[in-house]
Amino acid sequence: QKEVEQNSGPLSVPEGAIASLNCTYSDRGSQSFFWYRQYSGKSPELIMFIYSNGDKEDGRFTAQLNKASQYVSLLIRDSQPSDSATYLCAAVSGGYNKLIFGAGTRLAVHP
Amino acid sequence: NAGVMQNPRHLVRRRGQEARLRCSPMKGHSHVYWYRQLPEEGLKFMVYLQKENIIDESGMPKERFSAEFPKEGPSILRIQQVVRGDSAAYFCASSPAPGQGSGNTIYFGEGSWLTVV
């Protein structure tokens, strides 16, 4: 069973701090990884994807990938209360864009 | 997620009825995926379709569930004889063909919330 694991949280951080969200995956064949943000009652919103080892930055977000350790992370700098949501990590499985999702980590940014 | 259209947004069905959920992919996208999200859980892959072709239905329950993506019109996820356990959010996603340009971008629709009473 190919799995993606995330700590369910909640992860609580003060406004302005760095939030660090982590994810591990079991399928060594996975090449691409996605981070989505989901507000309660809403659909997942793509934040970014990464497929190369190392860091990828986009605004306040940085995704990190370590294929040797099968580990993906998302850093959110200068966290805002509006960042409070569930963050979903997903790995692409198979030769097409079939996503295997983790259960998500709830992030709470408090003023 | 702009552009992936799902309807209805909310659907209430009595046990034993049929539910039909529709999804129109983003313009230029030829691949459709259906996911189910049970309350307080992550998204679970159900089925992957191209026009007139089911590519991977490994996540579909063996009975009562079916999906299609006809040559014309939206993709449809059909649930027959619904039970309370089918109550969930059903999300459709679309992408270009993998390997084509931004084939790594997968966008979700707003979802269809099914409630079985």
Side-chain angles (χ1 to χ4, degrees):
Chain A
Q1 177 76 6
K2 298 172 183 176
E3 294 182 345
V4 174
E5 301 286 342
Q6 292 182 260
N7 188 322
S8 62
L11 173 66
S12 182
V13 301
E15 184 175 358
I18 296 175
S20 178
L21 304 160
N22 305 314
C23 169
T24 59
Y25 60 96
S26 63
D27 182 10
R28 284 197 173 274
S30 292
Q31 296 296 317
S32 301
F33 304 88
F34 291 73
W35 282 100
Y36 287 85
R37 176 173 62 195
Q38 186 177 30
Y39 293 107
S40 180
K42 300 294 185 181
S43 65
E45 173 190 5
L46 179 65
I47 297 174
M48 61 195 308
F49 66 86
I50 186 169
Y51 49 84
S52 297
N53 271 327
D55 296 358
K56 179 180 179 181
E57 187 174 320
D58 184 0
R60 294 188 297 113
F61 299 97
T62 299
Q64 299 173 318
L65 172 61
N66 184 325
K67 291 185 179 180
S69 301
Q70 296 177 244
Y71 177 89
V72 191
S73 66
L74 180 70
L75 301 177
I76 306 174
R77 289 180 298 282
D78 189 23
S79 296
Q80 301 297 310
S82 58
D83 294 327
S84 298
T86 296
Y87 288 79
L88 303 170
C89 172
V92 172
S93 175
Y96 47 88
N97 290 328
K98 173 182 177 180
L99 296 176
I100 306 299
F101 281 89
T105 298
R106 282 185 296 136
L107 173 66
V109 181
H110 53 87
Chain B
N1 57 6
V4 181
M5 305 301 294
Q6 289 189 249
N7 68 84
R9 294 292 313 282
H10 298 276
L11 182 63
V12 179
R13 284 287 178 266
R14 296 185 185 278
R15 283 177 294 172
Q17 291 185 319
E18 178 179 289
R20 286 194 177 212
L21 310 177
R22 290 175 290 278
C23 170
S24 296
M26 284 182 70
K27 186 177 181 180
H29 287 188
S30 56
H31 295 240
V32 166
Y33 313 79
W34 285 94
Y35 290 82
R36 176 166 66 174
Q37 187 174 34
L38 296 171
E40 305 301 319
E41 294 188 12
L43 281 79
K44 301 295 185 185
F45 169 81
M46 299 182 75
V47 63
Y48 162 48
L49 311 102
Q50 298 175 23
K51 287 281 188 180
E52 300 183 284
N53 199 9
I54 298 175
I55 306 301
D56 182 346
E57 57 182 346
S58 60
M60 290 280 272
K62 299 300 182 190
E63 298 178 344
R64 302 187 297 108
F65 285 71
S66 63
E68 63 176 3
F69 190 12
K71 185 177 181 180
E72 301 291 338
S75 174
I76 296 175
L77 179 66
R78 180 184 180 200
I79 311 172
Q80 296 177 289
Q81 299 175 319
V82 296
V83 300
R84 287 207 171 127
D86 297 332
S87 296
Y90 292 84
F91 290 101
C92 172
S94 74
S95 74
Q100 287 185 358
S102 56
N104 270 334
T105 50
I106 306 165
Y107 293 98
F108 283 81
E110 293 293 322
S112 292
W113 269 258
L114 172 65
T115 301
V116 179
V117 296

